[in-house]
Amino acid sequence: MKTLDAVVPVYNEEAILPELNRRLVDTLEALPYEWRVVYVDDGSRDRTPELLAGFSDEDSRVGVVHLSRNFGQQLAISAGLAMSTADAVVLLDGDLQDPPEVIPLLVEKWESGYDVVYAVKRDRKEALPKRALFSLFYKILRKLSNVDIPADAGNFSLMDRSVVDVINTMPERDRYVSGLRAYVGGRQTGVEFERAPRYAGQPRQSPLKLVRMATDAFFAFSELPLRLATILGFFVSVIAFLVLLTVLYKRLISGEAIVGWASTMTSILFLGGIQLIAVGVIGEYIGRIYNEAKGRPAWVVGRYRNLSSGSSESLKALHEGRDPT
Ligand code: UDP
Ligand code: MG
């Protein structure tokens, strides 16, 4: 029988977990597979760990990875993917915005031969400013990126084992999983779905975390910002050359003297601004290179439940910073 894992990152979701677990397990039970759930507790500080421990005691098919602290959604997802062993892995948010009932639709496409089936949000159940910002984010990302990252396709997706294996071997610490998923390529398709409002509570992804995820996505999937410095440099040089010609003409041919505190100040500030922007862009990349170069484990696991056997030991070792051999 084929196997299916569901990976769910959760951070302080005590109000949602019982309902989520019930609906998720019901959906998986109705499918003709051997299934497992991998919850990733991203350093929750409410009753989430106790609830997860309860689920895993009741059903050995429910596994938990407790991270040692809050590492952020993308790393929590990565930790879950690293523990998955099934033929197909479904990834969904733990706030019931991604309804488990959509999973059979994803599975159907997988069975018909697709490697990646991502769920596309038909309309976002979010306040207008957030919706507008997300649509801007995807527009810019799709323009900048050299990989075809589909718009409005977030975490909710099904990935074939072959795709998950490739993602698991990607060593980077800044992980925008939807981008990595697109990077792998293969046969990918989307399925539209109605995104539900959050079942309870406020988003756990703070605006700051969302901005960080967006910049990670931009810088990890495009070198265009770096090229921007070159483009700006050429642009400014052309202007400077034209200004030089006019100055020489006035001085030598028409004989006017040019007075100008204002013009000097403006050009100094203009150039200073452009240089700072360029240095800032380079700094973004250097910061990321530094982060990778340090080679720290991207996440640290506090404990596993129902997951010690059958999971890839070498991957676990890799991500805990141990020597995999
Ligand atoms: N989440 C997480 N770690 C975090 C923030 C969020 O594991 O640091 C989980 C959260 O519990 C939820 C999922 O990621 O299951 C999506 O989070 P949220 O609903 O806050 O994000 P949004 O709907 O804004 O994308
Ligand atoms: Mg949400």
Side-chain angles (χ1 to χ4, degrees):
M1 200 172 4
K2 288 188 193 167
T3 53
L4 181 77
D5 282 349
V7 169
V8 192
V10 283
Y11 179 49
N12 296 342
E13 304 288 15
E14 59 178 8
I16 301 175
L17 274 175
E19 173 78 5
L20 169 71
N21 194 59
R22 191 182 59 72
R23 280 171 56 186
L24 185 56
V25 169
D26 281 355
T27 310
L28 294 173
E29 282 286 35
L31 291 168
Y33 305 118
E34 227 171 84
W35 57 265
R36 231 171 35 151
V37 180
V38 178
Y39 286 110
V40 185
D41 167 21
D42 190 11
S44 300
R45 262 163 279 156
D46 63 355
R47 290 189 51 255
T48 296
E50 285 92 320
L51 289 172
L52 293 178
F55 301 157
S56 64
D57 286 344
E58 264 165 44
D59 192 332
S60 61
R61 294 170 297 181
V62 177
V64 187
V65 182
H66 293 283
L67 298 185
S68 62
R69 61 172 172 83
N70 182 247
F71 280 87
Q73 188 203 42
Q74 298 296 311
L75 292 180
I77 290 172
S78 304
L81 290 182
M83 294 309 297
S84 70
T85 49
D87 301 322
V89 181
V90 173
L91 197 63
L92 69 159
D93 278 358
D95 58 357
L96 284 170
Q97 285 203 278
D98 302 338
E101 293 73 23
V102 175
I103 294 175
L105 302 179
L106 305 181
V107 167
E108 200 181 308
K109 288 277 182 186
W110 174 60
E111 286 286 3
S112 73
Y114 286 98
D115 302 315
V116 170
V117 190
Y118 48 85
V120 182
K121 296 150 198 169
R122 195 175 295 137
D123 45 25
R124 288 186 164 267
K125 294 279 186 304
E126 259 114 17
L128 187 65
K130 195 169 174 183
R131 238 167 40 214
L133 283 175
F134 260 102
S135 122
L136 184 70
F137 162 71
Y138 281 114
K139 270 213 187 87
I140 300 178
L141 183 62
R142 287 177 60 76
K143 277 257 153 52
L144 286 185
S145 167
N146 23 28
V147 180
D148 185 20
I149 299 176
D152 289 316
N155 303 322
F156 196 16
S157 58
L158 179 148
M159 289 176 268
D160 186 75
R161 178 82 249 142
S162 55
V163 174
V164 179
D165 282 343
V166 176
I167 293 182
N168 282 344
T169 54
M170 294 180 179
E172 59 221 84
R173 278 137 188 90
D174 280 330
R175 300 177 80 84
Y176 174 58
V177 175
S178 311
L180 300 179
R181 186 180 68 206
Y183 181 91
V184 177
R187 281 162 54 84
Q188 307 214 354
T189 188
V191 167
E192 281 202 354
F193 81 111
E194 198 81 38
R195 191 151 210 239
R198 183 171 243 282
Y199 185 75
Q202 291 300 314
R204 304 299 187 247
Q205 286 277 77
S206 61
L208 192 73
K209 278 182 179 168
L210 283 177
V211 169
R212 201 171 299 154
M213 188 179 83
T215 42
D216 277 351
F218 290 150
F219 288 107
F221 285 92
S222 173
E223 286 88 52
L224 201 70
L226 277 177
R227 233 163 281 144
L228 204 67
T230 322
I231 297 167
L232 280 176
F234 274 115
F235 172 71
V236 172
S237 306
V238 169
I239 295 182
F241 184 69
L242 293 179
V243 171
L244 179 77
L245 286 185
T246 13
V247 171
L248 282 180
Y249 174 80
K250 288 202 170 163
R251 186 75 186 84
L252 300 176
I253 297 174
S254 68
E256 308 163 44
I258 305 170
V259 280
W261 180 84
S263 58
T264 316
M265 275 315 275
T266 341
S267 39
I268 289 177
L269 289 178
F270 177 67
L271 281 178
I274 286 198
Q275 280 164 5
L276 285 178
I277 291 175
V279 171
V281 168
I282 296 169
E284 282 289 336
Y285 285 93
I286 292 185
R288 280 150 216 278
I289 297 171
Y290 182 47
N291 190 28
E292 298 296 340
K294 280 185 286 193
R296 292 179 189 158
W299 62 82
V300 177
V301 176
R303 84 171 272 190
Y304 300 96
R305 289 177 201 277
N306 291 344
L307 279 177
S308 46
S309 63
S311 43
S312 158
E313 275 304 319
S314 60
L315 269 173
K316 250 166 59 185
L318 180 73
H319 288 291
E320 286 163 19
R322 283 185 278 127
D323 186 351
T325 52

